Amino acid sequence: MTASDEALLAGMAADDQDAAAVFVRRHQARVYGLALFVVGIPAVAEEVAQETFVRAWRHADGFDPRRGRATTWLLAIARHAAIDVLRVRRDVPVDPVIMAERVTAQAVGDPDRLADQVATGTTVDAALSHVPREQATAVVLASVFGLSGAEIAERTGVPLGTAKTRIRLGLRHLRDELASSREVDRP
């Protein structure tokens, strides 16, 4: 019988190195896959993955299973670590609009599912490809790059109200697409 992720995190919070090792082995491909998808450079993705597990170790005592799954918590840490790297890196300028268009073209869905798809080498093709392009771009800029409505309005050249509406409608469309894809995936 294998330990649950929640039990492993509890062990990590108690400085159990064996629990940490099992947790890392269990999730390393998914974390690396998500990091690689965001940063696009394998060596940097490895660093992001390592930083993700360090942060998870440090903050394992703060994980609350009532608020969500351990995998979702871990992938959120990975996403934040990857975004931190993109923000700090000055040698590779990243225009969020261009990155959003690239991500939109590849489609981003549920973070757990996205990490599984990237880690297993399958094509990322899901929910955002069905969301209108302007809305999908606004959603990616807000969720992947953490831009505010005002920053999105400025970068895309639309009024603030339009940017906020695109985010709201895009998230609604995305939610509907994810719900319909989950129904299709069920046996």
Side-chain angles (χ1 to χ4, degrees):
M1 186 169 149
T2 61
S4 69
D5 288 339
E6 291 78 13
L8 294 173
L9 281 171
M12 287 171 61
D15 289 331
D16 181 349
Q17 292 182 3
D18 293 333
V22 171
F23 189 77
V24 168
R25 277 193 302 275
R26 185 177 292 174
H27 297 290
Q28 64 189 4
R30 297 175 86 186
V31 168
Y32 174 77
L34 181 60
L36 182 60
F37 179 76
V38 174
V39 299
I41 302 169
V44 176
E46 289 176 12
E47 292 173 16
V48 169
Q50 183 176 11
E51 177 62 21
T52 298
F53 288 111
V54 168
R55 289 181 186 183
W57 178 281
R58 277 192 218 131
H59 301 289
D61 60 343
F63 172 73
D64 183 357
R66 296 172 297 194
R67 296 181 66 199
R69 296 181 0 195
T71 305
T72 305
W73 176 80
L74 180 65
L75 292 176
I77 293 172
R79 178 182 158 272
H80 290 289
I83 290 170
D84 289 347
V85 166
L86 287 178
R87 287 181 179 155
V88 169
R89 293 195 61 205
R90 300 286 188 233
D91 59 334
V92 181
V94 178
D95 182 352
V97 174
I98 293 170
M99 179 62 91
E101 289 173 359
R102 190 187 107 208
V103 171
T104 302
Q106 293 177 345
V108 177
D110 172 42
D112 290 340
R113 186 172 176 196
L114 170 64
D116 284 338
Q117 291 171 334
V118 171
T120 59
T122 61
T123 303
V124 178
D125 181 26
L128 275 179
S129 63
H130 301 288
V131 175
R133 185 177 186 93
E134 298 82 16
Q135 294 172 10
T137 298
V139 167
V140 170
L141 289 172
S143 61
V144 174
F145 291 98
L147 297 181
S148 68
E151 292 169 322
I152 293 169
E154 180 182 325
R155 288 186 186 264
T156 58
V158 298
L160 176 59
T162 302
K164 288 182 176 182
T165 299
R166 286 179 178 175
I167 295 167
R168 183 175 39 80
L169 292 175
L171 288 172
R172 184 179 300 153
H173 281 112
L174 184 59
R175 182 191 66 219
D176 294 345
E177 285 297 324
L178 289 172
S180 67
S181 71
R182 278 191 221 118
E183 290 172 7
V184 171
D185 290 343
R186 289 186 185 148

